[in-house]
Amino acid sequence: MLTKVLRRTRILVVSPGATSPLIAAQGWLYDLLVWVGVDHATARHLQDVVVRPVGVVVILLVATAIGWSGSRIIRRWIGAVARRATARADSPRAAARAVTITAMVANIWRVVVGVIAIFVALGTLGINLTPLLAGATVVGATIGFGAQSMVRDLLAGFLLIIEDQFDIGDTLVVGTTSGTVEDLSLRVTRLRGADGTIWFVPNGEIRTLANTSRGWAEAMIDIPVPAAANVDAVLGAVADAAETVVADDRYTASCLAPPRLWGVVATDVDTLTCRVSIRTLTAERDRIARALREEVARRLHALGVFAADPPAAGSEPAVPS
């Protein structure tokens, strides 16, 4: 009796054993259309024509909103951190690097959200993603095993850019290789050696590096003299030579602090090693060091330190000309 009543009200009545999984999972619009009397084929067609495109549009709109809002959050958060780092940095390219890093991370976020949205939309349209995902997994595993070093280089290059370990134009020492950075990519760093040789260093191979182009530098030289030389006279001559270089109009602008006399830093049977340094700009370190060596050599020669018979400890040193 109940079944007859339901049939008169045009409510679909199907026995449990005859229910197909495809029919049972058609969706709310399909059930509503069947309930009002539309045949199954038409209901399925309207379900596909109306609901699925609307679902795809909703997915794309939600993905766009997530990508836009996430990008703004990333730009604000990472941008604030980058600005604080820029304020503490001493590189003239720090501000531009901060903007580049922020934009790169925001673009990565949008790409990831877009890819996920595309896969979800394809699934909503009824496209079977299992073969596609299986093929992508096989290809990804093959590339991962065959290009481990390349993946390592790319990750290392990304971290080098994020951490701002060096800029183009900086002078680096990487292992036994040294030179000026001419180009930096995610995979490789190109260095130009002092003799003009170009070195290509994979970023994944950079374990320890020395950057000699940040902030200030010490133009430091060691002066070996005969062990029989008058120590006080030698140290006085070295100190006077350093003061002369600092006072020279050609080098004054590059010297950031008074010279520092380290004294005797090493001794052996035949020689004493004295050390002196001048704090200077990184780009001027070699020039200041050369000038300091030349001036020290002049004064020590005038003092007779390198003569066959150096003056005795109690004798008066010669006055430099």
Side-chain angles (χ1 to χ4, degrees), residues 40 59 78 97 100 103 187 261:
H40 298 293
I59 291 171
I78 298 184
R97 180 177 289 273
T100 302
R187 195 185 70 83
L261 182 64

Side-chain angles (χ1 to χ4, degrees), residues 158 184 264:
F158 177 77
L184 169 64
V264 179

Side-chain angles (χ1 to χ4, degrees), residues 259-280:
R260 178 182 178 184
L261 182 64
W262 295 68
V264 179
V265 295
T267 60
D268 57 29
V269 176
D270 299 321
T271 60
L272 304 173
T273 302
C274 304
R275 177 176 296 173
V276 65
S277 65
I278 299 176
R279 181 168 296 186
T280 180

Side-chain angles (χ1 to χ4, degrees), residues 210-294:
N211 190 335
T212 61
S213 300
R214 296 289 179 88
W216 51 267
E218 289 282 347
M220 181 180 298
I221 64 170
D222 291 339
I223 308 103
V225 298
N230 186 335
V231 175
D232 294 332
V234 169
L235 293 178
V238 171
D240 293 340
E243 293 289 351
T244 301
V245 172
V246 172
D248 195 322
D249 293 338
R250 295 173 296 176
Y251 312 114
T252 300
S254 302
C255 298
L256 305 179
R260 178 182 178 184
L261 182 64
W262 295 68
V264 179
V265 295
T267 60
D268 57 29
V269 176
D270 299 321
T271 60
L272 304 173
T273 302
C274 304
R275 177 176 296 173
V276 65
S277 65
I278 299 176
R279 181 168 296 186
T280 180
L281 302 174
T282 55
E284 298 292 325
R285 174 175 49 192
D286 293 339
R287 190 168 74 101
I288 298 298
R290 286 193 297 269
L292 188 56
R293 290 190 187 95
E294 293 170 2

Side-chain angles (χ1 to χ4, degrees), residues 36-270:
V36 299
V38 180
D39 62 276
H40 298 293
T42 304
R44 282 195 296 270
H45 179 70
L46 292 175
Q47 171 84 16
D48 294 338
V49 170
V50 175
V51 175
R52 290 185 177 180
V54 171
V56 171
V57 172
V58 171
I59 291 171
L60 295 179
L61 290 176
V62 171
T64 302
I66 294 175
W68 179 80
S69 59
S71 176
R72 286 184 62 87
I73 293 173
I74 288 172
R75 289 179 183 276
R76 287 187 179 182
W77 179 61
I78 298 184
V81 175
R83 284 191 294 272
R84 289 196 296 269
T86 301
R88 298 191 299 266
D90 49 26
S91 172
R93 300 182 65 252
R97 180 177 289 273
V99 174
T100 302
I101 292 173
T102 304
M104 179 179 62
V105 176
N107 290 334
I108 291 175
W109 168 260
R110 286 195 294 265
V111 169
V112 171
V113 172
V115 171
I116 295 175
I118 289 173
F119 280 107
V120 174
L122 292 177
T124 303
L125 292 175
I127 299 175
N128 187 6
L129 299 178
T130 303
L132 179 62
L133 294 177
T137 302
V138 173
V139 172
T142 303
I143 293 176
F145 283 113
Q148 295 182 30
S149 61
M150 181 176 293
V151 174
R152 182 183 62 183
D153 294 340
L154 295 176
L155 291 177
F158 177 77
L159 293 177
L160 287 174
I161 295 175
I162 290 294
E163 296 173 359
D164 191 21
Q165 297 185 15
F166 55 86
D167 293 327
I168 295 176
D170 288 354
T171 301
L172 305 182
V173 179
V174 182
T176 58
T177 304
S178 62
T180 302
V181 181
E182 287 194 339
D183 188 28
L184 169 64
S185 64
L186 287 178
R187 195 185 70 83
V188 68
T189 298
R190 189 176 71 197
L191 302 177
R192 173 79 66 173
D195 58 352
T197 303
I198 297 179
W199 298 90
F200 295 91
V201 183
N203 293 328
E205 300 297 329
I206 299 177
R207 292 291 183 266
T208 303
L209 65 88
N211 190 335
T212 61
S213 300
R214 296 289 179 88
W216 51 267
E218 289 282 347
M220 181 180 298
I221 64 170
D222 291 339
I223 308 103
V225 298
N230 186 335
V231 175
D232 294 332
V234 169
L235 293 178
V238 171
D240 293 340
E243 293 289 351
T244 301
V245 172
V246 172
D248 195 322
D249 293 338
R250 295 173 296 176
Y251 312 114
T252 300
S254 302
C255 298
L256 305 179
R260 178 182 178 184
L261 182 64
W262 295 68
V264 179
V265 295
T267 60
D268 57 29
V269 176
D270 299 321

